[in-house]
Amino acid sequence: MSLLCRSTGLLLKHISLTPTFISVAGGQYQYILVDKKGEKKNVGFIQLNRPKALNALCDGLMMEVGKALDTFEADREVGAIIITGSEKAFAAGADIKEMQNRTFQECYGGNFLAHWNRVSTVKKPVIAAVNGFALGGGCEFAMMCDIIYAGEKAQFGQPEILLGTIPGAGGTQRLTRAVGKSLAMELVLTGDRISAQEAKQSAFELTLAEGNRLEKRLFHATFATEDRKEGMTAFVEKRKAAFQDK
Ligand code: CAA
């Protein structure tokens, strides 16, 4: 995930937010607005549209998102996809009311939330334009996208601990990579929220440092291989290296 803290308005400047529905096989969308935007109609546009529930990600909504993504993926005119919410909420998480009475057997047996992964498997670039709450599943949903453009009022968090559960759609993994282990653990263990600005700063401070540490370890590890010795020796001896994958 790359997180850019700038006005989502910039991104959406050329995009009219007038609700337009594109019909799909089986009828219109109930929980999202779907359109193709831009002069060349080459930007797939999905707006989460459950304002009364702060775009809580109920099963129906996520099924529709999957369907819209499939449609855009297959549409040769479409080069990139934007997913957005409202000024108040990108999404306030998975739908707690829908989850409230689920049993372990239902979750495990039905592989609950597995279909959300569609967002991260789309081949075309997917951009999340986030303002307001991006909490729990909302934060995870945004992090599944390739790029996040976050507005000034964006707030990210994984408050599942406050519900007696844990992130269930990749939050513990993607947040760690996005903002570093320390802040990710703090957010997951406290349920606190951070602004886009704080997330961006942490991304640079922590992830880069951790990435560098890993890179250094892997670099050092190459010194345990014969091929590294052969490559450097071949350079010094002005000949082509004979690598043996050892
Ligand atoms: N699920 C279902 N409904 C939700 C919801 C959610 N995640 N978040 C908000 N709503 C509903 C509220 O129940 C309320 O509905 P009613 O008017 O019918 O009561 C409506 O949206 C407005 O919410 P609030 O009145 O609470 O609005 P607020 O401005 O006072 O507070 C908020 C906003 C801080 C985001 C608060 O709504 C909140 O804390 N929401 C829950 C956030 C959360 O815990 N998300 C994680 C969900 S679990 C998850 O996502 C698991 C996972 O990893 C996939």
Side-chain angles (χ1 to χ4, degrees):
M1 176 194 83
S2 92
L3 193 146
L4 301 176
C5 178
R6 59 174 80 157
S7 166
T8 49
L10 270 180
L11 178 68
L12 303 175
K13 195 165 71 174
H14 304 293
I15 294 175
S16 147
L17 288 178
T18 316
T20 331
F21 291 91
I22 291 179
S23 291
V24 287
Q28 286 189 331
Y29 294 104
Q30 185 184 348
Y31 301 111
I32 59 177
L33 305 177
V34 178
D35 201 358
K36 290 205 289 184
K37 303 280 189 181
E39 266 173 37
K40 296 181 184 163
K41 299 282 177 207
N42 57 358
V43 180
F45 184 80
I46 299 172
Q47 183 169 19
L48 311 182
N49 188 36
R50 278 189 88 196
K52 285 185 184 156
L54 301 180
N55 291 332
L57 304 168
C58 62
D59 213 36
L61 185 151
M62 289 309 288
M63 298 288 272
E64 289 188 0
V65 167
K67 216 185 271 186
L69 290 173
D70 287 344
T71 306
F72 287 144
E73 187 87 301
D75 186 337
R76 299 183 69 151
E77 275 183 2
V78 171
I81 299 162
I82 294 176
I83 302 178
T84 194
S86 68
E87 280 285 305
K88 181 156 188 200
F90 176 74
D95 192 314
I96 300 166
K97 293 167 189 168
E98 226 176 49
M99 287 188 292
Q100 187 186 358
N101 296 315
R102 274 185 174 263
T103 63
F104 165 72
Q105 285 84 351
E106 284 165 355
C107 289
Y108 188 76
N111 205 1
F112 181 46
L113 298 188
H115 65 291
W116 284 31
N117 269 347
R118 179 67 185 116
V119 182
S120 61
T121 59
V122 174
K123 294 196 198 82
K124 296 176 182 176
V126 182
I127 300 169
V130 177
N131 231 332
F133 301 116
L135 303 178
C139 183
E140 294 170 307
F141 186 5
M143 290 191 292
M144 285 179 197
C145 299
D146 299 302
I147 300 173
I148 298 178
Y149 281 96
E152 295 296 325
K153 291 182 188 156
Q155 285 185 50
F156 297 88
Q158 298 288 161
E160 287 87 348
I161 195 160
L162 305 175
L163 300 168
T165 184
I166 66 163
T172 61
Q173 303 305 305
R174 290 198 177 91
L175 193 60
T176 307
R177 286 157 177 79
V179 302
K181 182 184 143 206
S182 173
L183 183 57
M185 283 196 74
E186 187 182 329
L187 294 178
V188 170
L189 294 177
T190 62
D192 287 351
R193 301 178 213 147
I194 52 169
S195 68
Q197 202 61 47
E198 288 167 307
K200 188 182 173 196
Q201 277 163 9
S202 306
F204 285 119
E205 282 168 14
L206 295 175
T207 309
L208 186 60
E210 287 178 359
N212 280 339
R213 206 172 309 131
L214 175 63
E215 179 200 72
K216 195 70 81 248
R217 287 282 168 268
L218 292 171
F219 173 65
H220 293 163
T222 66
F223 284 73
T225 68
E226 291 179 18
D227 279 349
R228 193 278 319 161
K229 181 81 189 298
E230 163 63 12
M232 292 188 179
T233 304
F235 175 81
V236 172
E237 294 179 356
K238 298 187 187 300
R239 61 174 172 81
K240 197 162 183 282
F243 292 122
Q244 294 180 38
D245 289 333
K246 287 185 185 165

